[in-house]
């Protein structure tokens, strides 16, 4: 038995802390007690003074992408071996940043599958990874930017074949491109429709047949509407969503994964800002206010929000994922309690892992992070962690506390 003692334990449903000691057995939370009574041989971890929360869950990362590179096309020629080595280090930084589970929304020639296996075997450290494999896309210039990430399909039948290929390679969900991208060649427009409604329905059909969720990259409003009608589980980004489509998402319970911090992280990285191609920088700057306004309205209308960062985009560094929790409060208008829910329980629901993840409850994995001060008073505390535990194993601790 492992005991985590002296801490304040967060209840995500009530949005409050309570004093309790945590008993951990076989990687899972066994019980909460007022005062631990360890037996001989038990391990005791002193968390006195810490505010203990569920590990964060990031529903949109790209661990294969080097956030240090201002121009994504310059990373296109990397060998699979180089990509795998980078991804393993990115996974480590992600975990140490407090993200104990992550949904990777586009890998690179399936090397991320090997990274996931290595994490599960204890060869490297990282979060629990839920992988899409390659993302499904029409023929587009974006393939030149991300040749190891795109699986091209240009009809419903080709979409079905491509989706089945990802699942055969070990994908946990299917990612589709409903619209163009922001971080793409100059001749690709994020407002343009890519997959048709029929093609999106084909992807959802394969997902449902195989009990797998479907995520849709979608900036353009009509592309969002198509994806929602097709039956996807989540909209990634949602930049140009209007009132009507947001109401439809709220009605159907379709998640939005905002990835708002990608812009703010980029703005803080002076080298990325100076060296990024002009058309990429201009797109992000010109559309940020629109994106934030759409996400504020999504929140007001009750669209379920699941944390996602797009970590791996230029300047959006692996390990800095908790910035999204802060942006959700300071820019999108969530309360600290709502932002923490969007970073824990809602992502667990989106991943269909709510029995294992998302809250601190007996029977769930002991994925626990600790802040030195109450994050409900200052949400930026989640970016300064004193403790990171996954499955009862401590990966980061503050020597003044632990």
């Amino acid at each position: 038995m492992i005991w985590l003692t002296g801490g304040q334990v967060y209840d995500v449903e009530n949005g409050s802390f309570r004093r309790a000691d945590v008993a951990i057995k076989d990687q899972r939370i066994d019980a909460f007690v007022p005062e631990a009574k360890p037996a001989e041989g038990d391990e005791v971890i002193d968390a006195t003074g810490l505010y203990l929360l569920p590990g964060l869950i990031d529903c949109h990362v790209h661990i294969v992408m080097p956030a240090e590179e201002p121009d994504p096309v310059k990373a296109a020629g990397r060998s699979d071996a180089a990509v795998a080595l980078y991804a393993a280090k990115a996974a480590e930084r992600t975990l140490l940043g407090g993200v104990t589970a992550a949904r990777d929304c586009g890998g690179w020639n399936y090397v991320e599958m090997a990274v996931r296996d290595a994490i599960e075997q204890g060869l490297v450290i990282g979060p629990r990874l839920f992988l899409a494999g390659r993302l499904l896309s029409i023929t587009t210039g974006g393939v030149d930017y991300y040749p190891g990430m795109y699986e091209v399909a240009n009809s419903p039948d080709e979409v079905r074949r491509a989706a089945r290929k990802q699942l055969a390679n070990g994908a946990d969900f299917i990612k589709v491109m409903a619209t163009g991208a922001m971080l793409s060649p100059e001749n690709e427009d994020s407002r343009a429709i890519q997959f048709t409604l029929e093609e999106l329905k084909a992807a959802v059909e394969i997902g449902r047949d195989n009990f797998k969720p479907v995520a849709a990259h979608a900036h353009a409003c009509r592309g969002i509407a198509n994806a929602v009608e097709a039956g996807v589980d989540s909209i990634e980004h949602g930049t140009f969503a209007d009132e009507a489509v947001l109401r439809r998402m709220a009605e159907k319970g379709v998640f939005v994964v905002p990835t708002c911090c990608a812009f703010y992280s980029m703005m803080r990285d002076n080298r990325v800002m100076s060296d990024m191609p002009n058309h990429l920088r201009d797109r992000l700057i010109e559309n940020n206010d629109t994106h934030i306004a759409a996400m504020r309205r999504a929140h007001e209308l009750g669209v379920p929000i699941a944390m996602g960062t797009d970590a791996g985009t230029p300047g959006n560094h692996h390990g800095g994922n908790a910035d999204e929790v802060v942006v959700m409060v300071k820019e999108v208008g969530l309360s600290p309690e709502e932002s923490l829910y969007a970073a824990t329980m809602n992502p667990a629901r989106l991943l269909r892992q709510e029995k294992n993840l998302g809250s601190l409850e007996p029977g769930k994995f002991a994925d626990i992070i600790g802040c030195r001060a109450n994050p409900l008073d200052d949400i930026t505390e989640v970016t300064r962690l004193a403790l990171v535990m996954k499955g009862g194993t401590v990966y980061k601790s503050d020597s003044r506390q632990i």
Side-chain angles (χ1 to χ4, degrees):
M1 187 81 75
I2 299 169
W3 292 93
L4 192 59
T5 64
Q8 299 285 331
V9 176
Y10 189 62
D11 184 327
V12 297
E13 297 296 343
N14 292 331
S16 61
F17 287 94
R18 64 186 174 93
R19 172 67 192 90
D21 290 345
V22 188
I24 300 166
K25 184 178 180 181
D26 298 329
Q27 299 189 46
R28 294 178 183 265
I29 296 171
D30 187 69
F32 297 103
V33 298
E35 184 176 356
K37 296 181 179 179
E40 184 177 351
D42 286 356
E43 179 183 357
V44 179
I45 301 170
D46 182 6
T48 301
L50 294 188
Y51 291 80
L52 305 176
L53 305 100
L56 305 179
I57 304 174
D58 191 335
C59 283
H60 194 125
V61 304
H62 297 282
I63 62 168
V64 298
M65 293 305 299
E68 302 80 8
E69 176 53 66
D71 186 354
V73 76
K74 292 184 178 179
R78 295 173 299 160
S79 69
D80 286 355
V83 175
L85 288 170
Y86 182 89
K89 191 62 179 178
E92 177 182 335
R93 298 205 307 260
T94 300
L95 176 62
L96 296 180
V99 173
T100 54
R103 188 180 67 151
D104 191 289
C105 285
W108 199 277
N109 292 336
Y110 310 110
V111 302
E112 70 281 3
M113 307 290 185
V115 173
R116 178 181 62 188
D117 291 346
I119 292 170
E120 292 176 353
Q121 294 166 23
L123 301 176
V124 299
I125 72 169
R128 304 179 194 280
L129 290 177
F130 299 84
L131 308 175
R134 288 179 169 181
L135 57 83
L136 278 52
S137 170
I138 65 168
T139 299
T140 173
V143 178
D144 294 333
Y145 270 40
Y146 312 102
M149 188 178 291
Y150 276 50
E151 187 77 30
V152 173
N154 288 305
S155 70
D157 282 344
E158 288 186 7
V159 168
R160 293 185 184 94
R161 186 178 304 113
R164 291 186 179 111
K165 179 179 177 181
Q166 307 320 302
L167 298 179
N169 277 287
D172 300 295
F173 69 103
I174 297 166
K175 166 80 176 294
V176 295
M177 298 292 284
T179 75
M182 294 277 186
L183 294 169
S184 60
E186 197 164 2
N187 62 0
E188 180 170 310
D189 192 335
S190 63
R191 299 167 300 177
I193 305 305
Q194 291 200 355
F195 276 140
T196 65
L197 176 59
E198 291 72 23
E199 289 166 332
L200 293 169
K201 285 182 175 179
V204 171
E205 173 192 341
I206 300 304
R208 286 182 175 166
D209 285 352
N210 291 275
F211 308 100
K212 303 293 186 184
V214 178
H217 163 107
H219 291 289
C221 189
R222 187 160 66 88
I224 297 170
N226 284 344
V228 172
E229 183 177 346
V232 303
D233 296 271
S234 67
I235 298 295
E236 313 298 307
H237 316 302
T239 304
F240 302 111
D242 65 10
E243 178 100 2
V245 77
L246 291 172
R247 288 187 181 277
R248 184 62 172 151
M249 289 174 66
E251 177 185 318
K252 294 189 69 174
V254 177
F255 285 85
V256 65
V257 182
T259 67
C260 291
C261 74
F263 173 80
Y264 295 93
S265 299
M266 176 195 76
M267 293 291 286
R268 291 201 304 265
D269 191 316
N270 292 332
R271 190 180 74 85
V272 164
M273 283 295 291
S274 64
D275 295 349
M276 179 183 282
N278 290 338
H279 77 277
L280 299 181
R281 183 174 55 250
D282 291 348
R283 283 176 181 172
L284 294 170
I285 292 173
E286 289 168 5
N287 293 305
N288 181 62
D289 288 349
T290 299
H291 187 198
I292 292 295
M295 294 304 98
R296 291 184 72 91
R297 191 63 181 136
H299 173 235
E300 292 165 357
L301 292 171
V303 177
I305 296 173
M307 171 190 172
T309 61
D310 219 358
T313 57
N316 189 9
H317 297 284
H318 304 287
N321 312 60
D323 286 343
E324 181 75 3
V325 181
V326 178
V327 171
M328 288 293 99
V329 173
K330 295 192 172 183
E331 300 293 335
V332 182
L334 279 68
S335 68
E337 294 87 348
E338 289 171 329
S339 187
L340 290 171
Y341 199 88
T344 55
M345 200 62 225
N346 266 354
R349 290 168 51 209
L350 178 55
L351 291 171
R352 303 179 184 178
Q353 290 290 318
E354 59 266 43
K355 292 183 179 180
N356 294 313
L357 307 172
S359 60
L360 302 182
E361 298 179 61
K364 293 193 176 185
F365 281 115
D367 294 356
I368 302 171
I369 60 175
C371 302
R372 300 178 190 90
N374 192 336
L376 301 182
D377 297 331
D378 179 2
I379 194 61
T380 65
E381 287 295 328
V382 298
T383 68
R384 299 183 292 273
L385 297 178
L387 172 73
V388 175
M389 169 186 282
K390 189 188 82 171
T393 297
V394 174
Y395 291 94
K396 177 180 180 179
S397 66
D398 184 335
S399 59
R400 293 172 297 170
Q401 301 283 355
I402 302 298

